[in-house]
Short mmCIF file of all heavy atoms in Angstrom, two decimals:
data_model
loop_
_atom_site.label_atom_id
_atom_site.label_comp_id
_atom_site.label_asym_id
_atom_site.label_seq_id
_atom_site.Cartn_x
_atom_site.Cartn_y
_atom_site.Cartn_z
N LEU B 550 42.27 -86.71 -69.51
CA LEU B 550 43.56 -86.14 -69.11
C LEU B 550 43.32 -84.72 -68.65
O LEU B 550 42.58 -83.97 -69.30
CB LEU B 550 44.50 -86.16 -70.32
CG LEU B 550 45.77 -85.31 -70.28
CD1 LEU B 550 46.75 -85.85 -69.23
CD2 LEU B 550 46.44 -85.30 -71.66
N ILE B 551 43.93 -84.36 -67.54
CA ILE B 551 43.83 -82.97 -67.08
C ILE B 551 45.17 -82.28 -67.31
O ILE B 551 46.21 -82.79 -66.90
CB ILE B 551 43.48 -82.92 -65.56
CG1 ILE B 551 42.11 -83.53 -65.31
CG2 ILE B 551 43.51 -81.48 -65.06
CD1 ILE B 551 41.75 -83.64 -63.85
N LEU B 552 45.11 -81.15 -67.98
CA LEU B 552 46.32 -80.35 -68.17
C LEU B 552 46.09 -78.98 -67.55
O LEU B 552 45.02 -78.41 -67.71
CB LEU B 552 46.60 -80.16 -69.67
CG LEU B 552 47.01 -81.39 -70.47
CD1 LEU B 552 47.10 -81.06 -71.95
CD2 LEU B 552 48.35 -81.94 -69.98
N ILE B 553 47.08 -78.49 -66.87
CA ILE B 553 46.96 -77.16 -66.30
C ILE B 553 47.99 -76.29 -67.02
O ILE B 553 49.18 -76.59 -67.02
CB ILE B 553 47.24 -77.17 -64.78
CG1 ILE B 553 46.35 -78.21 -64.10
CG2 ILE B 553 47.01 -75.80 -64.18
CD1 ILE B 553 46.70 -78.44 -62.65
N ASN B 554 47.52 -75.27 -67.65
CA ASN B 554 48.41 -74.46 -68.47
C ASN B 554 48.02 -73.00 -68.45
O ASN B 554 46.98 -72.66 -69.00
CB ASN B 554 48.36 -74.97 -69.93
CG ASN B 554 49.35 -74.25 -70.83
OD1 ASN B 554 50.45 -73.91 -70.41
ND2 ASN B 554 48.98 -74.04 -72.09
N PRO B 555 48.81 -72.10 -67.85
CA PRO B 555 50.10 -72.30 -67.19
C PRO B 555 50.04 -73.27 -66.00
O PRO B 555 48.98 -73.42 -65.40
CB PRO B 555 50.46 -70.89 -66.70
CG PRO B 555 49.66 -69.95 -67.52
CD PRO B 555 48.40 -70.68 -67.86
N GLN B 556 51.17 -73.87 -65.73
CA GLN B 556 51.21 -74.95 -64.76
C GLN B 556 51.26 -74.47 -63.32
O GLN B 556 52.01 -73.57 -62.97
CB GLN B 556 52.44 -75.83 -65.03
CG GLN B 556 52.42 -76.49 -66.40
CD GLN B 556 53.81 -76.67 -66.95
OE1 GLN B 556 54.76 -76.82 -66.18
NE2 GLN B 556 53.96 -76.66 -68.26
N ASN B 557 50.49 -75.15 -62.51
CA ASN B 557 50.50 -74.89 -61.08
C ASN B 557 50.91 -76.21 -60.45
O ASN B 557 50.19 -77.19 -60.58
CB ASN B 557 49.09 -74.45 -60.64
CG ASN B 557 48.98 -74.24 -59.15
OD1 ASN B 557 49.95 -74.35 -58.40
ND2 ASN B 557 47.79 -73.90 -58.71
N PRO B 558 51.99 -76.30 -59.75
CA PRO B 558 52.77 -75.24 -59.10
C PRO B 558 54.05 -74.81 -59.83
O PRO B 558 54.80 -74.02 -59.30
CB PRO B 558 53.17 -75.93 -57.79
CG PRO B 558 53.39 -77.35 -58.19
CD PRO B 558 52.37 -77.64 -59.26
N LEU B 559 54.30 -75.36 -61.03
CA LEU B 559 55.61 -75.12 -61.62
C LEU B 559 55.80 -73.71 -62.16
O LEU B 559 56.92 -73.22 -62.28
CB LEU B 559 55.87 -76.12 -62.75
CG LEU B 559 55.79 -77.59 -62.33
CD1 LEU B 559 55.95 -78.50 -63.56
CD2 LEU B 559 56.84 -77.93 -61.30
N GLY B 560 54.70 -73.05 -62.53
CA GLY B 560 54.81 -71.68 -63.03
C GLY B 560 55.32 -71.61 -64.45
O GLY B 560 55.75 -70.57 -64.92
N ASN B 561 55.24 -72.73 -65.15
CA ASN B 561 55.74 -72.77 -66.52
C ASN B 561 54.57 -72.91 -67.50
O ASN B 561 53.44 -73.08 -67.08
CB ASN B 561 56.67 -73.97 -66.65
CG ASN B 561 57.87 -73.64 -67.51
OD1 ASN B 561 57.78 -72.78 -68.39
ND2 ASN B 561 58.98 -74.30 -67.27
N VAL B 562 54.88 -72.85 -68.80
CA VAL B 562 53.82 -73.02 -69.80
C VAL B 562 54.22 -74.09 -70.81
O VAL B 562 55.40 -74.38 -70.97
CB VAL B 562 53.51 -71.70 -70.57
CG1 VAL B 562 53.17 -70.58 -69.60
CG2 VAL B 562 54.66 -71.30 -71.46
N TYR B 563 53.21 -74.67 -71.45
CA TYR B 563 53.50 -75.64 -72.51
C TYR B 563 53.60 -74.91 -73.85
O TYR B 563 52.86 -73.97 -74.10
CB TYR B 563 52.37 -76.67 -72.61
CG TYR B 563 52.20 -77.56 -71.40
CD1 TYR B 563 51.01 -77.59 -70.69
CD2 TYR B 563 53.22 -78.41 -70.98
CE1 TYR B 563 50.84 -78.41 -69.59
CE2 TYR B 563 53.07 -79.24 -69.87
CZ TYR B 563 51.87 -79.23 -69.18
OH TYR B 563 51.71 -80.05 -68.09
N SER B 564 54.48 -75.39 -74.70
CA SER B 564 54.59 -74.80 -76.03
C SER B 564 53.45 -75.35 -76.89
O SER B 564 52.86 -76.38 -76.56
CB SER B 564 55.92 -75.18 -76.68
OG SER B 564 55.92 -76.57 -76.96
N PRO B 565 53.15 -74.69 -78.02
CA PRO B 565 52.09 -75.20 -78.88
C PRO B 565 52.38 -76.62 -79.37
O PRO B 565 51.48 -77.43 -79.49
CB PRO B 565 52.08 -74.22 -80.07
CG PRO B 565 52.78 -73.00 -79.57
CD PRO B 565 53.70 -73.42 -78.49
N GLU B 566 53.66 -76.90 -79.61
CA GLU B 566 54.00 -78.27 -80.07
C GLU B 566 53.68 -79.28 -78.98
O GLU B 566 53.15 -80.36 -79.25
CB GLU B 566 55.50 -78.38 -80.41
CG GLU B 566 55.93 -77.60 -81.64
CD GLU B 566 55.96 -76.12 -81.37
OE1 GLU B 566 56.27 -75.71 -80.22
OE2 GLU B 566 55.66 -75.35 -82.30
N GLU B 567 54.03 -78.94 -77.78
CA GLU B 567 53.75 -79.86 -76.68
C GLU B 567 52.24 -80.07 -76.56
O GLU B 567 51.76 -81.20 -76.42
CB GLU B 567 54.28 -79.30 -75.37
CG GLU B 567 55.80 -79.42 -75.22
CD GLU B 567 56.30 -78.77 -73.94
OE1 GLU B 567 55.90 -77.61 -73.66
OE2 GLU B 567 57.07 -79.41 -73.23
N LEU B 568 51.51 -78.97 -76.63
CA LEU B 568 50.05 -79.08 -76.51
C LEU B 568 49.50 -79.99 -77.60
O LEU B 568 48.68 -80.86 -77.33
CB LEU B 568 49.40 -77.70 -76.60
CG LEU B 568 49.56 -76.80 -75.37
CD1 LEU B 568 48.99 -75.41 -75.66
CD2 LEU B 568 48.87 -77.42 -74.16
N GLN B 569 49.97 -79.77 -78.83
CA GLN B 569 49.49 -80.62 -79.92
C GLN B 569 49.83 -82.07 -79.65
O GLN B 569 49.03 -82.98 -79.89
CB GLN B 569 50.14 -80.19 -81.26
CG GLN B 569 49.57 -78.92 -81.85
CD GLN B 569 48.19 -79.13 -82.46
OE1 GLN B 569 47.58 -80.20 -82.37
NE2 GLN B 569 47.66 -78.08 -83.08
N GLY B 570 51.02 -82.29 -79.11
CA GLY B 570 51.45 -83.66 -78.80
C GLY B 570 50.53 -84.30 -77.78
O GLY B 570 50.07 -85.44 -77.94
N PHE B 571 50.23 -83.55 -76.71
CA PHE B 571 49.39 -84.13 -75.65
C PHE B 571 47.97 -84.35 -76.14
O PHE B 571 47.34 -85.37 -75.84
CB PHE B 571 49.36 -83.21 -74.41
CG PHE B 571 50.72 -82.85 -73.86
CD1 PHE B 571 50.95 -81.63 -73.27
CD2 PHE B 571 51.79 -83.76 -73.96
CE1 PHE B 571 52.20 -81.29 -72.76
CE2 PHE B 571 53.05 -83.43 -73.46
CZ PHE B 571 53.26 -82.19 -72.86
N LEU B 572 47.48 -83.39 -76.91
CA LEU B 572 46.12 -83.55 -77.43
C LEU B 572 46.06 -84.71 -78.42
O LEU B 572 45.07 -85.44 -78.47
CB LEU B 572 45.65 -82.25 -78.11
CG LEU B 572 45.46 -81.04 -77.18
CD1 LEU B 572 45.12 -79.78 -77.98
CD2 LEU B 572 44.34 -81.31 -76.19
N GLY B 573 47.14 -84.87 -79.17
CA GLY B 573 47.20 -85.99 -80.11
C GLY B 573 47.19 -87.32 -79.36
O GLY B 573 46.49 -88.27 -79.74
#
Side-chain angles (χ1 to χ4, degrees):
Chain B
L550 165 67
I551 297 175
L552 292 174
I553 306 172
N554 185 36
Q556 299 149 28
N557 176 4
L559 303 176
N561 219 332
V562 305
Y563 295 121
S564 68
E566 292 73 33
E567 284 176 312
L568 287 174
Q569 285 286 6
F571 305 148
L572 293 175

